Structure formats: structure tokens, C-alpha cells
């Protein structure tokens, strides 16, 4: 009930963007996790071609965030959000309608470009509309995103009982509905004429050393958060010997998010600086990998359901700690980003933040993947230890920036 009352306190535009994020994640996760299987098993493509198709989609999104951010600043976030959702409608529909490599590559490029457009634009619009309640708005945003990430794969699994095309067309229909809703509901805002070029905007943001240092410090957050889809599900399956154990990890996290996120954000906002809570959240995210690390290598393939359930407890404890760490840190991270520079460049700051952190997090995920492979040969604790190191390093980085007074400090409520 707390979540819904908080949501109703915001204007209609913000409420729509929250529902939009729910729909975006449902549409994305009901399709993309199953795309590789469709390409390899249904269409008979080689692993190399599958990697190209998936890589093009990821590169189109991660590499073009900066364009989406600049477009939001210069053309208005509303139009960029609508254009992004419309492009993803077309991209996902192409996945359903085409089997040839050129069509699939076009679908990957369009769906990736769509994310590059609407992701920074949505955050810029949300930051502008929320005013002094940015932390609460982004906390709600996190709730709806997490819920969508849980519901999406469940819907996708059910649709795959029909075929992959049913999943793709359903995802396309969701984005089409979101596009129409945004066109009708989101109010247009006047965009002041810019006095500098796009390249000038980029140079201004990239010259902000404090912002770049903060973006790099967030590498640990993105790397650890991605382990909700890689390392933790793998750990749950290995601990229990049951493929369905991964779903329990997502369910526990989503329930915790729904019940705790707003309470955590509202409580912490009144009890200290944002930098302090970001650092604590990152440290807690790192500590989340300690319980699974302690039992890494144990097998739950024997001993019955009771032993499997007991073996799952450390993994679930780690997942819960990770979700709580995200709940603590993420709303304040999103609140900080627009305050590094001019309000006219909010979209550009979000865009470059996601480019820098996305590229660096890809490197971090490569390290975790290597550690998983290496750990399989006698050191199962290794990937968990890597994630612990990422969390502590990121927390130390934010703490260091805070001590240097390099982080924005305005609009921070501090009480005794």
C-alpha cells in the first residue's frame, strides 16, 4: 500500500513513466533472454552468428546512450521517449517476422537504438518532473523495473509454449501500447535553445572530472547487479541441483523490493548525505557475495528436498543482501547524476554515465565470467570473491570522492 500511495502523490506524467518502465522490462525480458536459443536451435545459426546478432544489439544500445541523452536535451525528452518505444516496437516485430540474417541484424540495431534513446530520456524527464523528490521517484522506478524483470521471463516462458514469434509479437504489442500512451499522456515541455554545439555539450560533460570519477566508481554497482542474472542463479542451481531455484532468487528479491524500497529511501534521505548511503549500499552489495562464497562448491544433487532447501539458504541470503544494497544506493545515485552539471544537460549526463559505466561493467562481467570458468577447476569461491572486491572497491571510490568534496551536496537533508 505504501508504494501505491507514494505513486499517487506524483503527477500523472511520472505515474505513466513508472508504468512505462514496468512494461519496458516485461517486454524486454519476455523476449531477449530466449533470443539466443531461438537463433541457435530454431534457426540453426552457429554460435558465432548468434554472438554477432546479440553483440550488435548490445553495442547499439551501450554505444549510443550519449546520442539519446543529447537528443533528450535538445529535442525534448518526451519526443525521444516516444521515438524510442516506437523503434523497439518495430525491432521486436522484425524478430517475429524475419529469419534471415539481414533482418535479424536490423532488428537488433533498432531494438538497441531504441534503448539508447528512451533510457536516458526517461531518467531525464523523471528527474525534471520530480523536483525535490527525485530519490522517491527513482525508488519507485526501481520497484517497477524490478517487478517487470520478474514478470517478463515468466510471461516469456508461457509464450514459448506457443512459439518464439508469439513472444516477439507480444513484446512488440506492449511497446506499441506504451508508445500510444506516452503520446497521449506525457505533456510536452518547451526546450530552451542551446547556445553550444552537441560536441560542445559532450566536451563540457567529459571535462567534469568528478562526474567521470563517480561514473567509474559505479562500475561495481552495475557489475554486481548483473550477477542477479548470471552468478546468483548459477549458484542457486549448483547448490540445489534444480534449475527452478533461479526463479526463487528473483521472487525473493522482487518481494523485498516491493515491501522495503520506499521505506528505505524515505528513511535514509532524512538521515545523512547521499554519498554516505551510496557507499554503504555498495559495500552491502559486495558483502552479499560472502554467504554464497562460504558454501561455494557444495552440491545439492543428493539428500532430498530438505538438503537442497538448506543449501539454497546462503544463496538467497546473498540475493536479499544484494537487493537491499541496490535499494539503498540506486535512488541516490540517480538523484546525484543531474546535479553534477547544468539542468539543460541532464540527458547528456545520464547518457554519458551509462556509456562509461556500461562499457566498464562489460569488462567487469568479463572478469566475473573468467573467474567462473577458472573457479570450476578447484576454486569455486573465486567469482564470489571477485564480486566482493568490486563492491568494496566501488564503496571506497565513492567514499574517497566524498572526502574530497567532489560530489554534489545541494538539496541534501541532514538531521541529527
Amino acid at each position: 500500500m505504501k508504494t501505491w500511495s507514494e505513486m499517487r502523490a506524483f503527477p500523472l506524467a511520472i505515474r505513466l513513466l513508472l508504468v512505462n518502465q514496468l512494461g519496458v522490462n516485461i517486454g524486454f525480458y519476455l523476449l531477449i533472454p530466449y533470443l539466443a536459443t531461438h537463433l541457435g536451435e530454431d534457426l540453426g545459426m552457429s554460435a558465432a552468428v548468434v554472438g554477432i546478432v546479440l553483440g550488435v544489439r548490445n553495442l547499439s544500445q551501450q554505444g549510443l546512450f550519449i546520442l539519446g541523452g543529447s537528443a533528450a536535451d535538445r529535442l525534448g525528452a518526451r519526443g525521444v521517449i516516444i521515438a524510442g518505444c516506437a523503434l523497439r516496437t518495430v525491432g521486436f516485430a522484425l524478430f517475429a517476422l524475419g529469419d534471415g540474417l539481414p533482418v535479424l541484424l536490423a532488428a537488433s540495431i533498432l531494438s538497441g537504438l531504441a534503448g539508447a534513446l528512451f533510457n536516458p530520456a526517461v531518467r531525464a524527464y523523471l528527474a525534471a518532473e520530480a523536483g525535490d523528490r527525485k530519490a522517491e521517484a527513482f525508488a519507485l522506478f526501481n520497484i517497477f523495473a524490478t517487478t517487470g524483470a520478474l514478470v517478463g521471463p515468466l510471461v516469456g516462458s508461457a509464450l514459448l509454449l506457443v512459439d518464439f514469434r508469439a513472444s516477439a509479437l507480444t513484446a512488440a504489442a506492449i511497446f506499441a501500447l506504451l508508445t500510444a500512451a506516452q503520446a497521449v499522456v506525457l505533456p510536452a515541455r518547451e526546450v530552451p535553445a542551446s547556445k553550444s554545439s552537441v560536441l560542445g555539450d559532450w566536451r563540457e560533460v567529459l571535462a567534469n572530472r568528478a562526474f567521470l570519477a563517480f561514473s567509474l566508481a559505479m562500475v561495481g554497482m552495475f557489475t554486481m547487479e548483473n550477477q542477479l542474472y548470471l552468478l546468483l542463479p548459477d549458484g542457486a542451481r549448483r547448490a540445489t541441483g534444480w534449475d527452478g531455484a533461479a526463479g526463487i532468487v528473483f521472487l525473493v528479491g522482487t518481494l523485498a523490493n516491493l515491501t522495503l524500497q520506499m521505506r528505505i529511501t524515505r528513511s535514509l534521505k532524512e538521515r545523512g548525505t547521499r554519498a554516505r548511503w551510496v557507499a554503504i549500499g555498495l559495500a552491502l552489495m559486495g558483502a552479499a557475495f560472502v554467504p554464497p562464497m562460504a558454501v561455494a562448491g557444495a552440491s545439492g544433487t543428493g539428500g532430498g528436498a530438505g538438503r537442497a532447501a538448506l543449501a539454497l539458504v546462503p544463496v538467497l541470503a546473498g540475493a536479499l543482501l544484494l537487493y537491499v544494497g541496490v535499494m539503498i544506493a540506486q535512488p541516490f545515485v540517480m538523484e546525484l547524476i543531474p546535479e553534477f552539471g547544468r539542468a539543460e544537460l541532464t540527458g547528456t549526463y545520464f547518457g554519458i554515465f551509462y556509456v562509461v559505466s556500461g562499457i566498464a561493467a562489460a569488462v567487469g562481467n568479463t572478469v566475473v565470467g573468467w573467474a567462473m570458468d577458472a573457479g570450476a577447476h578447484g576454486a569455486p569461491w573465486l567469482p564470489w570473491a571477485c564480486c566482493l572486491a568490486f563492491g568494496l572497491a566501488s564503496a571506497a571510490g565513492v567514499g574517497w570522492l566524498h572526502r574530497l568534496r567532489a560530489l554534489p551536496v545541494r538539496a541534501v537533508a541532514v538531521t541529527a
Side-chain angles (χ1 to χ4, degrees), residues 18-205:
L18 297 176
V19 175
N20 175 79
Q21 192 58 29
L22 175 69
V24 163
N25 275 15
I26 290 175
F28 181 86
Y29 285 105
L30 74 82
L31 177 69
I32 295 300
Y34 308 106
L35 179 58
T37 301
H38 169 65
L39 297 176
E41 296 183 4
D42 298 340
L43 302 184
M45 293 183 171
S46 67
V49 174
V50 172
I52 290 173
V53 174
L54 298 179
V56 164
R57 193 212 67 80
N58 190 61
L59 182 62
S60 298
Q61 180 161 317
Q62 297 291 343
L64 298 178
F65 273 132
I66 188 172
L67 295 181
S70 291
D73 290 334
R74 291 176 169 268
L75 304 176
R78 175 184 180 272
V80 177
I81 293 169
I82 294 170
C85 280
L87 278 179
R88 185 155 281 183
T89 302
V90 176
F92 281 2
L94 284 178
F95 277 127
L97 302 176
D99 293 340
L101 183 58
V103 175
L104 293 171
L105 288 175
S108 293
I109 292 171
L110 288 175
S111 60
L113 175 60
L117 288 175
F118 67 67
N119 277 341
V122 164
R123 286 157 178 81
Y125 198 108
L126 200 66
E129 292 290 319
D132 293 335
R133 301 188 64 211
K134 291 183 182 68
E136 290 90 339
F138 281 111
L140 285 168
F141 193 81
N142 188 32
I143 291 173
F144 280 81
T146 301
T147 304
L150 173 69
V151 174
L154 298 178
V155 176
S157 297
L159 289 170
L160 283 177
L161 297 176
V162 181
D163 61 17
F164 179 81
R165 286 178 173 80
S167 296
L169 290 174
T170 300
I174 289 173
F175 279 95
L177 288 174
L178 294 175
T179 303
Q182 291 154 4
V184 172
V185 175
L186 286 184
R189 300 288 186 241
E190 183 178 353
V191 182
S194 178
K195 298 179 181 179
S196 62
S197 65
V198 172
L199 291 178
D201 292 345
W202 294 356
R203 283 194 295 268
E204 179 180 336
V205 176

Side-chain angles (χ1 to χ4, degrees), residues 265-358:
T265 301
R266 288 179 64 86
S267 176
L268 299 185
K269 184 179 179 181
E270 303 301 328
R271 287 175 170 79
T273 64
R274 290 165 294 181
R276 170 190 177 189
W277 295 121
V278 170
I280 289 174
L282 290 168
L284 187 60
M285 290 175 71
F289 296 91
V290 173
M293 182 171 62
V295 296
S299 175
T301 56
R307 180 177 175 182
L310 187 63
L312 185 60
V313 170
V315 179
L316 292 181
L320 184 58
L321 285 174
L322 183 57
Y323 272 101
V324 171
V326 172
M327 285 186 266
I328 291 172
Q330 194 172 71
F332 298 116
V333 170
M334 296 294 104
E335 186 185 25
L336 275 170
I337 291 170
E339 297 185 8
F340 276 99
R342 295 186 288 125
E344 295 82 1
L345 293 182
T346 295
T348 304
Y349 271 96
F350 273 114
I352 291 181
F353 174 78
Y354 278 103
V355 169
V356 172
S357 58

